[in-house]
Amino acid sequence: MRAWKAEQFGEAVNVLAQVDVELPEPDKDSVELQVVTAGVGLPDALMVRGNYPAVQKPPVVPGQEIVGVITRAGANVAEKVGDKVIAMTQFAFGMGGFAERCMAHKGSLYPIPKGMPDEQAAGFFVPYHTAYVGLAQRGELKAGETLLVLGGAGSSGSAAIQLGKALGATVIATASSAGKLDFCKSQGADHTINYRETPIHKAVKEITGGAGVNMVYDPVGGDAYAQSAKAMAQHGRIILIGYSSGEWANVDPLHTVLRSYSVVGAFAGARTREETLQQHAKLSKLFEDGKINVPVDKIFPFDHAPQAIDRVATNKAVGKVIVKVS
Ligand SMILES: NC(=O)c1ccc[n+]([C@@H]2O[C@H](COP(=O)([O-])OP(=O)(O)OC[C@H]3O[C@@H](n4cnc5c(N)ncnc54)[C@H](OP(=O)(O)O)[C@@H]3O)[C@@H](O)[C@H]2O)c1
């Protein structure tokens, strides 16, 4: 089967090549899937660059999340050959989703929400589960609170805008251009900030009448984190998700103490299977009720998977980029 594989780290468009790959027989707890659609995230660009903790050395076959049809199943797997599911792939072992077939552990298979097309389902798990873990589980966002979402036009950010609204918050989103701000509004943001024109804390002060925000959802880090920390209301929570700016948040302990806010890490992978399935059911219901909906940016054919990753890596995407494989 064909897979996009990088033998050395670098930019996806330079180092990924389509090669023939043999997958092993799935062990008793794993499945092989025929990939239908694959979601593209910044982690795919980061792992091909060699800047992602779960992939320490090449070769790399990126692609974290897919929709696929099970083609071979180990003895302990409840799902059957022929079932179509959402899967988190074994990308960390060189068997990611930008390939005609990939592998997944039985604990990484999830039902597709009723009525969700394959193109959306391949971009559902990572952004929406991360938003759920960050906002609801770790941050305990309450209706009526004010939420600031950094990187609002990205895949993590747009999911957090939608889920923040669904949980009853007032949502402020940041982005770098008028077009991206319009997109954030279309996702439900009540207010938007062009961080290239106005420092985030100054804009937040104006929007909230000096009150500040109760929560920050931060997939960006760097300066955006530092400015957002200055926009915190007392007893707020900053949820650390990622580092799309290239730098993680640099937490200032004294500022954290004086303003009395919490800095909270949130990782979608750090949950029990039971918690994850319960949250998947809640998120699926929110989709079925029309409260959340994966915003597909662009669908690329399999042969253009490196260009799909490049679109995310160069900050051109609004919402979720998808690769159609079969
Ligand atoms: N914790 C978890 O479980 C988890 C799960 C998924 C992803 N992540 C992490 O979250 C991060 C984002 O991933 P993603 O897939 O959402 O990326 P994405 O779709 O590329 O979105 C990132 C957004 O960040 C904005 N941005 C980039 N540089 C910025 C800067 N210097 N200042 C302000 N905004 C900036 C970009 O838009 P602008 O044009 O507006 O700048 C872009 O829309 C990555 O580090 C990823 O590894 C973590």
Side-chain angles (χ1 to χ4, degrees), residues 167-202:
L167 295 172
T170 297
V171 177
I172 306 171
T174 71
S176 64
S177 67
K180 285 191 173 186
L181 296 181
D182 284 346
F183 170 79
C184 293
K185 285 211 172 120
S186 75
Q187 300 307 296
D190 300 283
H191 307 276
T192 54
I193 298 170
N194 185 332
Y195 70 87
R196 294 229 168 110
E197 289 175 353
T198 318
I200 294 169
H201 52 293
K202 291 202 172 141

Side-chain angles (χ1 to χ4, degrees), residues 13 19 42 48 64 88 105 155 173 179 229-230 244 274 285 289 292 316:
V13 283
V19 294
L42 194 55
V48 176
Q64 291 189 308
M88 293 298 294
H105 187 265
S155 130
K230 293 187 197 158
S244 66
E274 200 177 32
K285 176 86 171 58
D289 291 347
I292 59 175
K316 294 196 182 80

Side-chain angles (χ1 to χ4, degrees), residues 40-44 46 51-53 64 126-127 129-131 133 150-158 174-177 180-181 195-196 200 217-225 240-246 248 265-270 311-320:
V40 185
L42 194 55
D44 296 308
L46 297 174
N51 187 17
Y52 193 69
Q64 291 189 308
V126 171
H129 276 257
T130 304
V133 172
L150 305 182
S155 130
S156 304
S158 53
T174 71
S176 64
S177 67
K180 285 191 173 186
L181 296 181
Y195 70 87
R196 294 229 168 110
I200 294 169
Y217 188 80
D218 180 12
V220 174
D223 275 354
Y225 170 86
L240 300 188
I241 298 297
Y243 54 104
S244 66
S245 67
W248 275 103
F267 176 46
R311 184 167 171 82
V312 175
T314 54
N315 269 348
K316 294 196 182 80
V318 286
K320 197 76 198 170

Side-chain angles (χ1 to χ4, degrees), residues 279-321:
Q279 294 171 6
H280 190 72
K282 283 185 188 164
L283 287 165
S284 300
K285 176 86 171 58
L286 285 172
F287 166 76
E288 284 154 28
D289 291 347
K291 301 257 172 67
I292 59 175
N293 196 12
V294 181
V296 174
D297 167 69
K298 201 168 169 192
I299 300 170
F300 287 77
F302 179 66
D303 284 348
H304 293 174
Q307 286 74 20
I309 297 175
D310 193 56
R311 184 167 171 82
V312 175
T314 54
N315 269 348
K316 294 196 182 80
V318 286
K320 197 76 198 170
V321 174

Side-chain angles (χ1 to χ4, degrees), residues 27-177:
D27 66 27
K28 61 187 186 340
D29 296 317
S30 299
V31 297
E32 179 199 69
L33 303 113
Q34 182 190 349
V35 181
V36 177
T37 44
V40 185
L42 194 55
D44 296 308
L46 297 174
M47 72 178 74
V48 176
R49 281 181 188 149
N51 187 17
Y52 193 69
V55 181
Q56 292 288 334
K57 54 182 178 23
V60 194
V61 176
Q64 291 189 308
E65 57 179 331
I66 64 147
V67 166
V69 177
I70 297 175
T71 42
R72 293 190 282 173
N76 294 346
V77 179
E79 288 81 357
K80 302 275 170 284
V81 168
D83 286 353
K84 187 155 79 172
V85 292
I86 289 172
M88 293 298 294
T89 72
Q90 292 182 332
F91 65 91
F93 303 101
M95 294 181 284
F98 301 136
E100 288 173 326
R101 289 180 187 221
C102 72
M103 307 286 288
H105 187 265
K106 67 176 183 185
S108 303
L109 306 178
Y110 299 92
I112 298 171
K114 270 192 224 95
M116 186 181 279
D118 297 338
E119 288 76 11
Q120 287 186 309
F124 180 63
F125 190 89
V126 171
Y128 288 86
H129 276 257
T130 304
Y132 193 92
V133 172
L135 299 181
Q137 185 176 10
R138 302 282 290 135
E140 299 182 9
L141 182 68
K142 292 173 196 66
E145 288 193 310
T146 304
L147 166 70
L148 171 64
V149 176
L150 305 182
S155 130
S156 304
S158 53
I161 293 173
Q162 291 184 8
L163 193 60
K165 287 307 295 175
L167 295 172
T170 297
V171 177
I172 306 171
T174 71
S176 64
S177 67

